[in-house]
Amino acid sequence: MPLNSTVQSVTDRIINRSKDSRQAYLDRMARAADQGPARAHLTCGNQAHAYAAMGQDKDTLLAERAPNLGIVTAYNDMLSAHQPYETYPQVIKAAARAQGATAQVAGGVPAMCDGVTQGQKGMELSLFSRDVIAMAAAVGLSHNTFDAAVFLGVCDKIVPGLVMAAASFGHIPTVFIPAGPMTSGLSNDEKTAVRKKFATGEVGRDELMKAEMASYHGPGTCTFYGTANTNQMLMEFMGLHLPGASFITPGTPLREALTTAAAERALAITALGNDFRPASQILDERTFVNGIVGLMATGGSTNLVLHLPAMARAAGIQLDIDDFSDLSSVVPLMAKVYPNGLADVNHFHAAGGLGFMIGELLEAGLLHPDTVTVAGDGLARYAQEPKLKDGALTWEDGAAESQNDKILRSASNGFATTGGLKSLDGNLGRGVIKASAVAPELQVIEAPVRVFPGQQEVKDAFRNGEFTEDTIVVVRFQGPSANGMPELHGLTPTLSVLLDRGLKVALVTDGRMSGASGKVPAAIHVCPEAAQGGPLARLRDGDMVRLDATTGTLDVLTADFDNRLPETADLSANQAGIGRELFESFRQNVGLATAGASPLF
């Protein structure tokens, strides 16, 4: 099947838009590669410091004939998704020794859990932690003693930050190694029902805690299809994982075999061998387009609409939200995984998972088939799935048909003909809406607004019974320069209850809503943000606003709107405490949400 014309045209305009910045990046990577990561450039004193603690590996390091892997790990045992990484460095080192090579932990990066900080002050550090992760990984790799890097990370900001670091060190190869999702716990519909009952006061905190603990119950990624699991999908579509590695649960023989194989593959693709695959070669325009296609086909997290532009900029590539919207218009929604459906990622994987989906999209001409990956040339390898046979790891063709068409469908028979993400543009600014789970009757909402400074005020108004008519809820001064752009995930149960009561409600915000926003129509990432004098700062209670996901428009209909002065907000409460004072320079220098909301690019 020839490549879809829209996929080709979007790719071409990204290439043209990025021509100068991409060439400058590639020139920089070529110079770094020419200098080489070989350890011979170090002085004897440098090398003595680098190898002092390496014991049995010292002689191999000094000989400089075998590659040395740098391990960058996001391990901590507070995050269920990252707890399995505790033992990975030893597995990787053993794999390297078996190949006559070496591996060292180059450094650790922070890894916060948005599930812990949702609705808390710490969430205001969440988005910027992505950029700190990129910087921390760069510090670890800056010793320049490594021939390749392996990255251990899964969750929301960790993978994007690590990809940014991988691009910055794009003169060496990079392999990402996942840890897998936890086994399935309490079903998502049961959990959602309890959350709604708690929001309305029908059950107490004890019942809510019981449900939450039954949902998030063991090592591994949370099983709903939020940002963490969207990241794992992305690493396969972008060719940075081994094929089929994303959704194998922790603590299984197959999981450990894949970790060993990832280390072996990283050793095989260094400049010391015959199959050199630096990260800069993998992270090109076609690879990022494939990642966006995967995002649309799976109905993934809107957080990646923030992260992908930042990741791409690290590789000299400039993405725009219209690229996401245009690709969404031709990519079918092939999966229904919570919050878009009732299934979790384990059910999705059992139904055929990413291997089936990639095979279908390649056959439909919706993916670039000729990308460079860590597994080899071309994306077709990623239509295969790993198996353990007699203790040996092998790959076989994935499922030719969906094993459950209520969860996963073919490209020709998707749940929807589009990916459901739309860019928005109008006199309220630019933003995006994820409409894949939004009912048809809620795709267009025209209603008066209620303006709030934060999500707690929305919850208070709900508890006071103030929502009695169709309403567009505006939560402003939630952008990156205001308070770090925390997720407003805590609004989901409240707004869902209002929808269940028959009201038409929507959210408009310069903040984030995350991959768990579900059925609530939400115009998010609106910029320029209110703190920078954007149009949202001129809204007043009662203004009529029209949010149209079908035409991609977001407009206020009040006649005197353009003549108003913007409101300002007292943001002093967001500037200090829980480490927020350390991020003042980030808030002052952050870019637009449409460009990735990064203070680094």
Side-chain angles (χ1 to χ4, degrees):
M1 177 72 72
L3 191 67
N4 178 276
S5 59
T6 298
V7 174
Q8 185 65 67
S9 65
V10 170
T11 305
D12 289 343
R13 79 183 183 210
I14 294 171
I15 291 172
N16 291 332
R17 185 192 302 139
S18 310
K19 182 179 179 181
D20 292 341
S21 55
R22 177 64 176 173
Q23 190 59 55
Y25 167 80
L26 291 174
D27 290 345
R28 190 167 70 250
M29 293 302 108
R31 289 193 297 270
D34 287 343
Q35 295 172 4
R39 292 169 293 288
H41 68 278
L42 297 178
T43 69
C44 293
N46 293 152
Q47 292 193 59
H49 280 287
Y51 311 153
M54 289 302 289
Q56 69 187 87
D57 294 321
K58 283 185 181 180
D59 290 343
T60 305
L61 284 162
L62 285 167
E64 298 174 359
R65 290 190 295 268
N68 184 34
L69 290 185
I71 304 168
V72 178
T73 177
Y75 164 72
N76 67 51
D77 60 10
M78 190 205 71
L79 273 73
S80 62
H82 292 78
Q83 186 273 342
Y85 284 137
E86 181 178 14
T87 60
Y88 276 38
Q90 296 309 316
V91 173
I92 294 165
K93 290 177 183 180
R97 290 189 191 110
Q99 299 289 316
T102 53
Q104 296 175 282
V105 175
V109 301
M112 66 181 292
C113 179
D114 288 1
V116 176
T117 58
Q118 286 286 359
Q120 308 298 319
K121 294 177 182 177
M123 175 56 82
E124 296 178 19
L125 277 60
S126 174
L127 176 59
F128 290 145
S129 75
R130 175 195 67 191
D131 303 273
V132 173
I133 287 161
M135 296 163 72
V139 171
L141 295 176
S142 67
H143 299 99
N144 203 23
T145 63
F146 308 110
D147 300 283
V150 291
F151 286 126
L152 313 182
V154 173
C155 285
D156 295 22
K157 262 53 77 204
I158 295 91
V159 166
L162 293 176
V163 171
M164 291 161 70
S168 296
F169 283 78
H171 59 288
I172 62 173
T174 292
V175 176
F176 280 67
I177 305 179
M182 68 178 68
T183 56
S184 300
L186 183 72
S187 68
N188 288 308
D189 55 339
E190 291 176 285
K191 176 182 66 178
T192 301
V194 174
R195 285 179 173 177
K196 286 183 181 179
K197 288 181 179 179
F198 179 76
T200 59
E202 296 176 61
V203 300
R205 185 169 294 276
D206 56 340
E207 286 297 317
L208 178 63
M209 178 59 76
K210 181 179 177 182
E212 297 290 353
M213 293 293 285
S215 299
Y216 310 114
H217 62 88
T221 316
C222 305
T223 58
F224 69 89
Y225 195 54
T227 309
N229 286 316
T230 302
N231 285 339
Q232 301 314 293
M233 171 280 300
L234 199 68
M235 292 302 92
E236 292 213 27
F237 272 79
M238 293 178 69
L240 291 169
H241 276 174
L242 290 184
S246 293
F247 299 134
I248 307 299
T249 52
T252 60
L254 181 55
R255 177 82 278 159
E256 183 161 336
L258 284 164
T259 301
T260 297
E264 293 170 347
R265 186 57 183 162
L267 293 166
I269 59 176
T270 72
L272 296 176
N274 299 317
D275 191 18
F276 184 40
R277 294 175 180 271
S280 57
Q281 184 180 0
I282 292 173
L283 293 170
D284 69 4
E285 296 89 345
R286 296 166 302 162
T287 291
F288 278 99
V289 167
N290 283 354
I292 297 172
V293 169
L295 180 66
M296 300 310 157
T298 58
S301 169
T302 53
N303 276 329
L304 271 299
V305 182
L306 275 175
H307 297 321
L308 275 163
M311 293 153 63
R313 280 175 178 257
I317 297 168
Q318 299 176 37
L319 301 180
D320 185 82
I321 57 173
D322 285 343
D323 301 329
F324 291 79
S325 186
D326 289 352
L327 289 170
S328 179
S329 71
V330 298
V331 175
L333 178 65
M334 297 170 62
K336 276 210 176 270
V337 188
Y338 184 82
N340 294 339
L342 299 181
D344 66 22
V345 294
N346 294 316
H347 304 136
F348 166 77
H349 183 68
L354 296 177
F356 170 78
M357 181 172 280
I358 289 172
E360 282 284 310
L361 290 167
L362 284 169
E363 183 66 25
L366 290 167
L367 288 170
H368 288 281
D370 54 347
T371 53
V372 179
T373 78
V374 298
D377 292 338
L379 198 60
R381 278 290 309 274
Y382 289 78
Q384 297 181 316
E385 59 184 17
K387 300 281 187 180
L388 268 184
K389 293 197 170 182
D390 298 323
L393 181 63
T394 186
W395 274 265
E396 299 178 350
D397 290 341
E401 297 180 355
S402 170
Q403 305 302 294
N404 187 334
D405 64 5
K406 294 181 180 178
I407 301 170
L408 182 62
R409 292 186 181 177
S410 67
S412 61
N413 184 38
F415 293 98
T417 57
T418 71
L421 188 135
K422 191 84 171 180
S423 61
L424 300 170
D425 202 350
N427 63 5
L428 277 178
R430 298 186 78 203
V432 295
I433 183 170
K434 178 183 175 181
S436 53
V438 175
E441 65 271 17
L442 298 175
Q443 298 282 325
V444 180
I445 294 184
E446 184 175 314
V449 303
R450 284 284 307 275
V451 182
F452 298 92
Q455 60 182 334
Q456 186 57 51
E457 289 79 4
V458 179
K459 294 178 182 179
D460 293 342
F462 171 78
R463 293 191 183 100
N464 293 334
E466 296 177 19
F467 294 105
T468 58
E469 60 181 1
D470 295 348
T471 306
I472 291 180
V473 175
V474 175
V475 185
R476 64 188 181 189
F477 297 101
Q478 299 295 311
S481 67
N483 61 355
M485 205 177 190
E487 286 185 356
L488 305 177
H489 179 47
L491 292 178
T492 301
T494 298
L495 299 180
S496 295
V497 169
L498 294 176
L499 290 178
D500 291 343
R501 291 176 179 173
L503 297 180
K504 282 191 172 185
V505 296
L507 174 71
V508 174
T509 182
D510 48 12
R512 296 187 289 134
M513 192 64 172
S514 92
S517 52
K519 65 183 181 181
V520 178
I524 57 177
H525 311 171
V526 177
C527 63
E529 61 176 290
Q532 296 180 347
L536 288 184
R538 300 202 301 270
L539 279 175
R540 307 288 186 268
D541 284 348
D543 285 343
M544 291 296 294
V545 165
R546 180 179 176 87
L547 168 59
D548 191 333
T550 63
T551 61
T553 54
L554 178 64
D555 292 296
V556 60
L557 307 179
T558 305
D560 67 341
F561 179 73
D562 291 337
N563 299 323
R564 295 177 186 168
L565 292 176
E567 295 275 354
T568 59
D570 180 4
L571 300 174
S572 58
N574 302 113
Q575 309 306 300
I578 316 296
R580 289 177 289 183
E581 59 271 24
L582 301 176
F583 288 80
E584 176 62 25
S585 63
F586 282 46
R587 291 190 293 271
Q588 293 296 325
N589 293 288
V590 68
L592 291 173
T594 48
S598 174
L600 304 181
F601 303 103

